[in-house]
C-alpha cells in the first residue's frame, strides 16, 4: 500500500446556516480545500453524510455534488455510518489512494440539519439506533447516552461535575475557533443548571443541531510534492470497527467496544501507542461520550476518564489535549461532516496553524469518529512527515 | 493493484417479502454467499442501499447488518449512489482488496421498499433526482424517463413496439429465473395495452417496487484458491462516473454520459472492447433505459438500440444477450441490491451455472448499474480465469 497524506483542508463557518443549502456549503468547503492543496484536478470524491434523505429529501449526493462542484464525470461516492460517516469517507479515500488506482481524492462530509423541524431532526438522528428494537420503544440518543452516563457514575463514581467539566473545556477551546457554531465559553454552574434533557444529561451536555461541511484533499506522497508546500500530514494508521448497534445487546454499557477495537487497529498499523499521541479530536456527542472514549482509546484507565477535563489533563497544555477545536459540543455537529472536521483540526494542529488553540510541538495526532451510541467507530492517526 | 475475483454469490427470492425485514433478507443472502465461497471469515463488508432511512427508518446499516450477521466488530460500510449503490459497493470492495489492506470482503446490497406506501415509495425514489430543481416541480422517475423516450423516438425513430420488445424479452428471461419477482412471460400486446404511467411509458415498461438482497464474496486470487473450487470470476475492469444530476442540465436527453464514460473506463482497464462481451446485465429501470444503455456501452450504434430486442440480437442466443436474469423489469428492482444481483447473474453465467438461461460459452461479462436518471453509473467487466 502507498503512503497517503492530507494536503489541503476546508470548511464553512458552522451554525444555523439559513442562507446556504447543502450543496452550497459543500462547494464552499470543497473549493477552500482544493485551493489550500493547490491541486488542479481530482481523481475521485467521497462524501460522508448521514441522512440527507430525511433532512433535505436528497439522496444521490455523490452525483449532485460532483455536478455542483463543476466536475461532472468525477466518480463521486457517498458513504454512511451515521455520525461516523465523515471518518469513513476519509478512510475510503485513503484506501483508494493506497491501492494506486487514484492519486488525488477529495474526502468531504456534509449535513444540513436545520431545514427540518426539531421533531423531525430527532427522528432522523434516531435512525442511527436500532429502529426495530430501540427507537420503536421510544429511545432517543440523549436517553441512550444518559443510561451510559448513569451506569458509568454507578460503576466508577464519575460525578455530575466531571461531566460538566468536559463541556466547559470544549467551549473554552471552541471560543478560539472562528469556524465554531458556539464560539463562547460556558461556566461550570451554567452547565450544571442548564435545562434537563435526559437525566443526568442536561442541554449543555449535548452537542447541537448544526449545518456544516468540511473537506480534505488526500494524495500519495509523490503527488503531494508536485502540488503543495504545505507540510504533508501523513495518515500512518486507521482502524474501523462495529459493535452491536443496540445498547441492550452489549456486554457492558460503559465500554465502547468499536472504539477500543478501531483504536487498537489504528495504533497497530501506525506502530504507535496512546502515549505517543500529542493531540486528539474525539466524538463528544455528549459529555459522557468524551469520557468513555478517552478511556477506550487508552489515554485514561477505565473509569478514570472523568478526571481528564476536571484535572486539566485534557486541556490545551495538559498531558493529552482533547478536542482543541471545541469538539462536537462547541464547534457543532453536522453529523456527516464531523469526522472530516476532526481531520481538518488535526491537520491544522500538526501544521502549527491553529493560532490561539495551538498545541505546542504537536507531531502525532488522532481522530476518533463514532456512529450512533457507539455502533461504529473510525480512528485515524496522523503525523507530520 | 492486486487481482480480484468473485468467489461466492447469494440472494434471496425477490418480491413483496412480507415475512422478512431488511436485516433478515440481507442475512439470508449473505449466508448463502459465504457458504458458496466456503470462506471462514470476512475482513470487511460494503453494503449498497439507496435510502433505508426513508423506506424503513433505519440508517447505520453497516453496523446493524454486521451485528445481525453475527460478526460484531467487522468494518461495515454503507455506500450510496441511488440505484447504483450496489455496483458502488462492489467497486469499493474491489478497491480494498486491490490495495492489499484486506483479503476477503462481502459486497452486498439491500432494499426493503414495500414497508411504506406507494406515495412514500415514489417520494423516496425521487430523492435520486435533483430535489431542488426537478422534484420540487413535480418530476418523478417515470416522467423523466418518458421525456428521454419521447426525445429518442423523435431523434431516431425508435418505435413504441421496440420499447415493448425490451419488456417481452426480459420477462422471457426472467421466467427462467427462480429468484425473480415476476417469473412469467408477457406479450407484446400485453405491454402495449398496459396502464399508462407517463406517456409513452406504460406500467409494463417500468421496473417494479421490490424487496430484496444480494451478496457476493470478493477476494484476491491467492486467497480465493485457499477456499473454493468455484471458477474464480476475475474483475478485470471497472469504471465509475457521474453526470449532471438533473436532466435539464445535460447537453443531450438521449445520451447517458455517465454510462458512456464509466464504460470507456472499464473497457480501458480490462483491455476489452464492446465486441468482446459475451453477456451483460444492464440497468433497465425503464424499457427506454436499456435501449439507451446498450447504445452508450457501444453494443449498438447511437439511435439503433431499439432494434436490439426486436431483432433478437439481445436475446439469449443472439449477438449480445442482455439481461439474461430478467433484468430489473422481471427480476425486480430493490434499488440498492440491483447492482450486486447483476454481478450474481454474470458470475453464474461465467461459471456455466445459469441453467435454462445459460449463454453458451460465455467467457466475458459486463454489468452496468445506474443511479437516478443516469446521474451516476458503475460498470464492471468480469472474466473467468
Amino acid at each position: 500500500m502507498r503512503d497517503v497524506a492530507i494536503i489541503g483542508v476546508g470548511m464553512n463557518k458552522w451554525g444555523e446556516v439559513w442562507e446556504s443549502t447543502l450543496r452550497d456549503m459543500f462547494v464552499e468547503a470543497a473549493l477552500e480545500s482544493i485551493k489550500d492543496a493547490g491541486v488542479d484536478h481530482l481523481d475521485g470524491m467521497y462524501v460522508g453524510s448521514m441522512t440527507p434523505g430525511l433532512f433535505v429529501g436528497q439522496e444521490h449526493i455523490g452525483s449532485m455534488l460532483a455536478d455542483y462542484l463543476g466536475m461532472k464525470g468525477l466518480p463521486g461516492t457517498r458513504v454512511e455510518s451515521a455520525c461516523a460517516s465523515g471518518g469513513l469517507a476519509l478512510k475510503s479515500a485513503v484506501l483508494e489512494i493506497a491501492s494506486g488506482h487514484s492519486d488525488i481524492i477529495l474526502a468531504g462530509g456534509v449535513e444540513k440539519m436545520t431545514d427540518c423541524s426539531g421533531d423531525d431532526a430527532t427522528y432522523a438522528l434516531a435512525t442511527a439506533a436500532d429502529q426495530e428494537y430501540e427507537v420503536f420503544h421510544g429511545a432517543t440518543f440523549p436517553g441512550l447516552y444518559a443510561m451510559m452516563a448513569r451506569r458509568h457514575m454507578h460503576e466508577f463514581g464519575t460525578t455530575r461535575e466531571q461531566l460538566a467539566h468536559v463541556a466547559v473545556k470544549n467551549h473554552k477551546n471552541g471560543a478560539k475557533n472562528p469556524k465554531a457554531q458556539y464560539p463562547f465559553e460556558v461556566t461550570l454552574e451554567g452547565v450544571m443548571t442548564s435545562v434537563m434533557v435526559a437525566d443526568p444529561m442536561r442541554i449543555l451536555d449535548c452537542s447541537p443541531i448544526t449545518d456544516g461541511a468540511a473537506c480534505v484533499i488526500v494524495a500519495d506522497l509523490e503527488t503531494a510534492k508536485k502540488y503543495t508546500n504545505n507540510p504533508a500530514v501523513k495518515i500512518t494508521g486507521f482502524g474501523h470497527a462495529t459493535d452491536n448497534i443496540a445498547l441492550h445487546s452489549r456486554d457492558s454499557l460503559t465500554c465502547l467496544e468499536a472504539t477500543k477495537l478501531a483504536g487498537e487497529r489504528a495504533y497497530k498499523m501506525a506502530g504507535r501507542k496512546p502515549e505517543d499521541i500529542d493531540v486528539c479530536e474525539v466524538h463528544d456527542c455528549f459529555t459522557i461520550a468524551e469520557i468513555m472514549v478517552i478511556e477506550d482509546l487508552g489515554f485514561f484507565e477505565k473509569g478514570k476518564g472523568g478526571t481528564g477535563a476536571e484535572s486539566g489533563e485534557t486541556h490545551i497544555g495538559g498531558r493529552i489535549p482533547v478536542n482543541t477545536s471545541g469538539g462536537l459540543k462547541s464547534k457543532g455537529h453536522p453529523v456527516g461532516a464531523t469526522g472530516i472536521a476532526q481531520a481538518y483540526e488535526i491537520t491544522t494542529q500538526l501544521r502549527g496553524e491553529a493560532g490561539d488553540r495551538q498545541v505546542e510541538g504537536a507531531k502525532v495526532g488522532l481522530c476518533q469518529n463514532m456512529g450512533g451510541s457507539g455502533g461504529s467507530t473510525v480512528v485515524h492517526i496522523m503525523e507530520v512527515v
Side-chain angles (χ1 to χ4, degrees), chain A:
Chain A
M1 294 192 2
R2 300 198 294 177
D3 285 336
V4 183
I6 293 177
I7 63 169
V9 298
M11 65 184 280
N12 70 323
K13 157 81 177 161
W14 286 8
E16 293 186 35
V17 186
W18 299 111
E19 72 283 7
S20 297
T21 62
L22 181 147
R23 63 187 86 188
D24 296 332
M25 293 192 302
F26 184 84
V27 167
E28 183 184 342
L31 292 179
E32 189 177 305
S33 70
I34 290 167
K35 192 177 171 193
D36 183 40
V39 293
D40 55 10
H41 73 283
L42 298 175
D43 297 327
M45 177 171 83
Y46 287 88
V47 184
S49 194
M50 177 181 157
T51 183
L54 285 166
F55 281 127
V56 295
Q58 181 71 66
E59 306 281 6
H60 208 192
I61 63 172
S63 166
M64 192 263 280
L65 295 175
D67 188 2
Y68 276 77
L69 197 52
M71 293 191 185
K72 184 181 84 167
L74 185 74
T77 300
R78 173 193 166 205
V79 298
E80 182 266 320
S81 190
C83 313
S85 299
L88 206 45
L90 179 56
K91 178 204 163 193
S92 304
V94 170
L95 275 172
E96 184 164 335
I97 303 274
S99 78
H101 183 68
S102 298
D103 296 329
I104 307 174
I105 295 186
L106 185 148
V110 63
E111 211 83 52
K112 184 79 175 81
M113 300 173 74
T114 64
D115 283 4
C116 65
S117 71
D119 278 359
D120 289 345
T122 298
Y123 172 77
L125 289 168
T127 63
D130 190 320
Q131 179 66 235
E132 294 179 31
Y133 294 95
E134 290 180 317
V135 184
F136 182 81
H137 297 283
T140 62
F141 274 100
L144 293 170
Y145 276 96
M147 285 195 278
M148 294 176 179
R150 272 278 164 241
R151 187 70 200 174
H152 205 275
M153 293 162 96
H154 172 75
E155 280 183 37
F156 305 117
T158 303
T159 67
R160 188 38 275 202
E161 285 75 10
Q162 288 176 333
L163 295 167
H165 276 291
V166 173
V168 172
K169 185 256 301 171
N170 289 352
H171 272 276
K172 194 174 159 197
N173 295 345
K176 298 168 183 160
N177 185 349
K179 304 269 191 175
Q181 177 172 15
Y182 296 127
F184 51 73
E185 300 199 17
V186 297
T187 63
L188 195 67
E189 196 196 346
V191 181
M192 298 285 289
T193 57
S194 64
V195 172
M196 185 64 81
V197 176
D199 193 8
M201 294 286 101
R202 294 175 178 271
I203 192 86
L204 288 180
D205 289 291
C206 307
S207 57
I209 300 288
T210 310
D211 302 326
C215 294
V216 299
I217 304 293
V218 182
D220 64 284
L221 291 185
E222 206 165 314
T223 303
K225 278 179 211 150
K226 279 189 218 162
Y227 288 101
T228 181
N229 294 322
N230 291 336
V233 174
K234 195 171 146 185
I235 294 167
T236 53
F238 59 81
H240 172 201
T242 54
D243 192 359
N244 300 113
I245 188 170
L247 272 195
H248 57 248
S249 302
R250 299 186 194 163
D251 293 335
S252 162
L253 289 185
T254 55
C255 173
L256 296 161
E257 272 192 43
T259 292
K260 219 174 157 194
L261 195 52
E264 285 165 7
R265 288 171 179 168
Y267 287 133
K268 189 179 170 192
M269 188 173 171
R272 291 292 187 182
K273 291 178 179 169
E275 45 271 35
D276 297 329
I277 307 300
D278 298 318
V279 57
C280 69
E281 290 282 301
V282 308
H283 201 91
D284 60 320
C285 47
F286 297 89
T287 50
I288 183 63
E290 176 169 315
I291 288 172
M292 290 168 66
V293 167
I294 59 178
E295 294 168 355
D296 293 324
L297 289 174
F299 299 134
F300 288 81
E301 207 180 303
K302 181 46 80 186
K304 303 287 186 196
T307 64
E310 188 182 37
S311 67
E313 284 182 281
T314 57
H315 289 240
I316 295 171
R319 176 170 67 84
I320 171 71
V322 176
N323 285 327
T324 55
S325 71
L328 286 57
K329 181 69 206 75
S330 162
K331 184 175 56 184
H333 185 29
V335 284
T338 283
I340 298 292
Q342 293 181 327
Y344 177 109
E345 176 69 9
I346 294 297
T347 301
T348 305
Q349 287 283 352
L350 297 184
R351 284 190 194 172
E353 297 172 357
D356 289 348
R357 57 185 202 281
Q358 180 67 45
V359 173
E360 290 308 321
K363 298 286 177 210
V364 186
L366 179 149
C367 302
Q368 179 269 351
N369 187 202
M370 188 157 71
S373 59
S376 64
T377 293
V378 185
V379 171
H380 285 89
I381 295 175
M382 304 176 188
E383 312 191 24
V384 187
V385 240

